[in-house]
Amino acid sequence: MPLMINQVSKIEKEYSVIVAGAGPVGCVIAERLASQLGWKVLLVDKRAHIAGNCFDTRHESGVLIHRYGPHYFRSNKIDLVNYLSNFTKWIPGNYIVKSSVNNDLYPFPINLLTLRQFFKQPDLNAEQAEALLASRREHFPNPANSEEFVLSRVGRELYEAFYLGYTLKQWNIHPRDLAPSVCGRIPVRLNTDERYVDHEYQLTPAEGFTNMFTNMVSHPNIDVMLETDFETLRHSLKPGIATVYTGQIDEYFDFKLGKLPWRSLQFEFKEEPTEYTQPCVQINYPNEHGYTRTVEIKHVTGQKHPHTVISYEYPTAEGDPYYPIPMEANAALYDRYKALAEEETANNNVYFCGRLAEYKYFNTDEVIERALHTFNLIKNRYEH
Ligand code: UDP
């Protein structure tokens, strides 16, 4: 089936809603407004494509890549999976990560197999592993930062081998200055489950994320305008009902309270003339190289191709905003912007939603739930 997006080059219609940003949030809200309320929606994005950072595309070799880093869809909510199933078929999400420490590859997140290998105790069982960790844990009943959190969970040796270097490279901030949730999102397991996360549904769109979001916005009530900065339309084009803004919140307010800091990434893609070069989709390098991880997304997409492409991820201070930086001062500045946003919602019907607009690192499933929540706010306010 050919994929159609109603891309417009000039604006001819009256739109009920303008959605700024065609990432997951923008696509979901546009789709709901168009299909459930029958509203006309203009979806605008700066980039030359939809799907935001979930964008997957073919490398010049023909190998499918995740252009802005790996996206591993997972959820515990069948309703969410069912909603997305309107726009895609699925294949299982083969999300296996290993960490390269002292030139050996270890299962990561830390599990029983990691502990056996790291402490050279091949027969360790779960009970002994718990005793071993208990003997190494440091006592922080209420960890105040990521360092304390990890030390209180696995002790110093594992912290220094698997977390410290990676976190320094990823954030350029010491784990003791980062919120506990940064490293806290990684599980530690005393079984041999090697999956990266625990969620019940771990899936990947069979034809990719771009295909799923393209199907989502292929609705006659949605027009898509790419390579267009919302800023250039904002003052000339007024929607009939509301605006949904998924860009950076500080930019919306012309940075008048100051800039919210972001951590960025640069990606290098290298083709290799072999089917696979890695044993699994992702290898983390906590203690060596300038990059944090290498990703061979073929393990997830299931694509058959004689060549492979590896992406190397380099964290940087400059560039597109990827990660909000979870420190107290930033949260306080965001709160001040949030107060402005709430006024803007009340007075001018502008809704702020998503990672950039809420200064919060959402996973793909979380951000889609967030979009559905915002859709419900809009629906409840305007539908009579
Ligand atoms: N982390 C780590 N070692 C690793 C992987 C992750 O210390 O091998 C820490 C690091 O601070 C990172 C956080 O855990 O920012 C969250 O990792 P995750 O893999 O969930 O990050 P994402 O894939 O979202 O970049």
Side-chain angles (χ1 to χ4, degrees):
M1 184 187 76
L3 295 172
M4 297 293 296
I5 307 184
N6 305 317
Q7 188 173 343
V8 291
S9 52
K10 65 180 173 32
I11 299 156
E12 291 163 350
K13 298 185 186 164
E14 285 271 302
Y15 294 101
S16 306
V17 175
I18 298 176
V19 178
V25 168
C27 290
V28 167
I29 297 180
E31 184 281 322
R32 290 285 86 186
L33 294 172
S35 71
Q36 302 302 300
L37 305 184
W39 291 1
K40 292 269 179 213
V41 181
L42 177 66
L43 184 57
V44 184
D45 204 289
K46 270 185 218 176
R47 287 176 172 165
H49 59 76
I50 66 159
N53 288 351
C54 286
F55 179 65
D56 43 25
T57 185
R58 275 176 203 275
H59 177 263
E60 59 193 15
S61 59
V63 176
L64 286 168
I65 55 167
H66 283 196
R67 174 64 192 79
Y68 304 100
H71 285 75
Y72 303 148
F73 181 78
R74 70 277 193 145
S75 173
N76 287 321
K77 302 192 178 153
I78 191 64
D79 287 355
L80 185 70
V81 176
N82 286 342
Y83 167 64
L84 294 174
S85 302
N86 291 317
F87 313 105
T88 188
K89 296 196 180 335
W90 302 98
I91 54 176
N94 187 17
Y95 308 144
I96 303 289
V97 175
K98 294 193 188 290
S99 183
S100 168
V101 171
N102 301 329
N103 294 319
D104 269 333
L105 290 183
Y106 290 84
F108 192 83
I110 292 171
N111 68 11
L112 188 58
L113 301 171
T114 321
L115 297 173
R116 284 180 185 159
Q117 191 181 339
F118 189 80
F119 292 105
K120 302 191 171 45
Q121 298 185 31
D123 301 323
L124 200 70
N125 64 27
E127 210 177 308
Q128 293 160 333
E130 171 52 32
L132 184 146
L133 287 183
S135 71
R136 282 169 164 82
R137 282 184 191 124
E138 296 188 14
H139 189 63
F140 293 104
N142 296 306
N145 55 58
S146 268
E147 178 173 71
E148 292 182 3
F149 187 91
V150 178
L151 290 175
S152 70
R153 233 172 168 192
V154 297
R156 189 161 292 276
E157 259 173 297
L158 292 163
Y159 164 69
E160 288 181 353
F162 291 93
Y163 291 88
L164 176 60
Y166 190 102
T167 302
L168 281 169
K169 222 190 295 184
Q170 169 72 19
W171 298 98
N172 200 26
I173 297 173
H174 197 282
R176 77 170 76 92
D177 297 318
L178 287 166
S181 58
V182 174
C183 292
R185 68 192 238 119
I186 312 266
V188 174
R189 302 191 183 103
L190 294 183
N191 57 24
T192 56
D193 183 354
E194 290 198 68
R195 299 171 312 159
Y196 198 56
V197 286
D198 292 325
H199 300 66
E200 188 169 353
Y201 307 102
Q202 304 197 20
L203 300 163
T204 207
E207 305 294 325
F209 281 98
T210 308
N211 173 280
M212 178 176 84
F213 287 113
T214 303
N215 290 339
M216 197 178 269
V217 299
S218 297
H219 188 284
N221 287 345
I222 302 175
D223 285 345
V224 179
M225 226 182 176
L226 298 175
E227 298 181 286
T228 305
D229 192 340
F230 170 69
E231 280 300 307
T232 61
L233 303 176
R234 182 169 159 184
H235 300 291
S236 53
L237 185 68
K238 296 286 172 203
I241 302 175
T243 300
V244 175
Y245 181 80
T246 74
Q248 286 170 251
I249 190 169
D250 51 356
E251 186 177 356
Y252 184 92
F253 294 106
D254 299 324
F255 305 104
K256 69 180 175 194
L257 304 175
K259 270 191 109 166
L260 283 164
W262 291 86
R263 192 72 176 148
S264 189
L265 294 173
Q266 266 173 16
F267 300 92
E268 231 176 76
F269 293 92
K270 281 198 196 142
E271 179 182 348
E272 302 287 349
T274 175
E275 206 176 350
Y276 289 100
T277 67
Q278 297 192 171
C280 57
V281 62
Q282 182 178 320
I283 298 182
N284 293 352
Y285 292 90
N287 309 311
E288 55 212 0
H289 306 303
Y291 46 84
T292 47
R293 55 191 181 184
T294 56
V295 173
E296 187 171 46
I297 205 71
K298 272 178 90 185
H299 290 275
V300 168
T301 60
Q303 187 188 12
K304 300 279 173 261
H305 195 290
H307 285 198
T308 190
V309 172
I310 305 291
S311 87
Y312 297 76
E313 248 173 71
Y314 295 87
T316 60
E318 301 299 322
D320 283 353
Y322 283 89
Y323 298 91
I325 301 178
M327 298 173 80
E328 266 171 38
N330 304 339
L333 179 56
Y334 166 69
D335 281 343
R336 294 174 61 213
Y337 275 117
K338 187 176 172 212
L340 295 180
E342 281 167 359
E343 275 175 41
E344 192 70 358
T345 308
N347 300 335
N348 295 318
N349 311 323
V350 183
Y351 289 80
F352 294 78
C353 184
R355 183 173 49 99
L356 302 175
E358 298 182 72
Y359 199 65
K360 185 162 187 320
Y361 189 67
F362 293 113
N363 296 322
T364 312
D365 58 322
E366 295 167 335
V367 91
I368 293 171
E369 284 181 63
R370 202 71 204 136
L372 293 170
H373 170 76
T374 300
F375 162 70
N376 281 322
L377 290 180
I378 298 172
K379 177 173 180 269
N380 293 339
R381 179 161 171 192
Y382 301 103
E383 202 194 33
H384 299 294

